[in-house]
Amino acid sequence: MPAVSALYRYPVKGFTPEARDELVVQPDGRIAGDRVLAFRFADAVEPEDADGLESWPKSRGLALMDFPALARVALLFDADADADAQRLRLSADGVVLAEAGLDDAGRRELEEAVTAFVQASPDARRLEKEGVLPLRLVGDGVTARFQDRARGYVSLHGAASVDDVDAAVAAPVDSRRFRSNIVVSGAGAWDELGWSGRIRIGEVAFEVQRPIGRCAAIMANPDTGERDARLLRVLTTEFDQAEPTLGILLLPADGGGVVRVGDEVIIER
């Protein structure tokens, strides 16, 4: 029986994940505490609203797709804390870049630290484009509003699928590259792409929506921040995919609930 082997949420869009023992799935299809902050480009607009649901494409701020060096930045942020107690800590290679709250002064400190880190990285030239600087840290630290898609979605992939990709390339490949909320073990490689209809994980019944088309973010090594594997091409050539795909998108069918590590994945169809 497939079961949840790892859970992740991403408090700051485009930055490293926070491993969790459990995730709260909101009725709107988003994970509580997930993508509640983002570093916005100077000329980018705020999230778009479609039928009461917000989305914010990666192109509007810092993201691994264009800034792979961000993979080296570890973060610590308690999205469950009271707003006044929230602090974001950013570090790279064991050195703290900044630690501050989300008041105006704290946001400026964090913005300056991230800007300096990127300017010292191989991605520095991307900051030189018109309309990028100054970076602005946006979001209230509570509301999940910086998802790529208006419906938000919960993302899931099978560990065996990642193992298949890892075996096909020289560079190390693990689940962190694919940035899913839920990682499942006990299913065969690529089995999740064949799931349809309804699946149940812990307290939550989900409707399977569609496979996840992948972007250049998966080419970034999560430890070094280097693009060390041409995984988009690997997925299409080695695995005969029309488009690079790994994992599936889910939406809660009957409201939200809690998903925990160890929960069985029941295919209800």
Side-chain angles (χ1 to χ4, degrees):
M1 175 73 71
V4 175
S5 55
L7 295 169
Y8 300 99
R9 68 181 183 185
Y10 302 80
V12 182
K13 185 182 182 74
F15 282 67
T16 49
E18 179 184 55
R20 305 284 293 181
D21 293 327
E22 64 181 41
L23 293 177
V24 177
V25 180
Q26 300 175 168
D28 64 1
R30 303 179 184 206
I31 300 295
D34 190 71
R35 278 90 170 181
V36 297
L37 296 168
F39 283 91
R40 176 176 65 79
F41 295 152
D43 67 354
V45 299
E46 289 295 302
E48 297 174 354
D49 188 299
D51 298 325
L53 296 168
E54 292 180 316
S55 63
W56 207 71
K58 298 181 183 75
S59 59
R60 295 183 181 174
L62 293 183
L64 278 175
M65 179 177 68
D66 293 320
F67 295 86
L70 294 177
R72 290 173 43 215
V73 180
L75 67 84
L76 182 63
F77 179 70
D78 186 359
D80 302 316
D82 293 336
D84 292 340
Q86 290 176 332
R87 293 182 67 80
L88 176 60
R89 177 179 180 178
L90 301 171
S91 59
D93 306 320
V95 177
V96 175
L97 304 175
E99 181 175 358
L102 299 183
D103 57 7
D104 289 346
R107 287 175 188 259
R108 299 296 91 80
E109 181 180 345
L110 293 161
E111 292 159 0
E112 291 171 4
V114 168
T115 300
F117 171 82
V118 178
Q119 286 176 329
S121 80
D123 304 331
R125 59 185 175 81
R126 295 187 178 275
L127 292 181
E128 298 171 2
K129 293 183 179 180
E130 184 177 356
V132 171
L133 294 178
L135 298 175
R136 287 291 176 254
L137 179 59
V138 294
D140 61 8
V142 176
T143 308
R145 62 191 300 246
F146 298 106
Q147 280 71 15
D148 295 343
R149 310 165 184 91
R151 283 310 312 265
Y153 297 107
V154 176
S155 53
L156 174 152
H157 72 251
S161 302
V162 175
D163 290 343
D164 240 15
V165 177
D166 180 45
V169 298
V173 175
D174 62 40
S175 285
R176 292 175 297 166
R177 289 191 188 245
F178 298 94
R179 301 178 63 76
S180 293
N181 298 121
I182 302 173
V183 181
V184 171
S185 296
W190 310 105
D191 280 2
E192 67 272 20
L193 295 184
W195 296 349
S196 61
R198 182 175 291 209
I199 68 173
R200 179 171 293 277
I201 307 174
E203 300 176 359
V204 187
F206 292 97
E207 291 285 349
V208 177
Q209 301 299 304
R210 61 179 183 272
I212 303 175
R214 293 298 176 171
C215 70
I218 66 174
M219 297 193 292
N221 184 303
D223 294 314
T224 68
E226 299 175 350
R227 285 181 173 163
D228 60 355
R230 302 181 70 178
L231 294 186
L232 298 178
R233 175 175 288 185
V234 168
L235 288 171
T236 56
T237 58
E238 298 296 323
F239 298 98
D240 196 29
Q241 297 181 354
E243 300 290 338
T245 301
L246 193 144
I248 55 176
L249 297 173
L250 310 171
L251 284 176
D254 301 314
V258 179
V259 173
R260 298 177 175 86
V261 170
D263 283 345
E264 292 185 346
V265 179
I266 302 170
I267 315 300
E268 298 182 344
R269 300 192 188 280

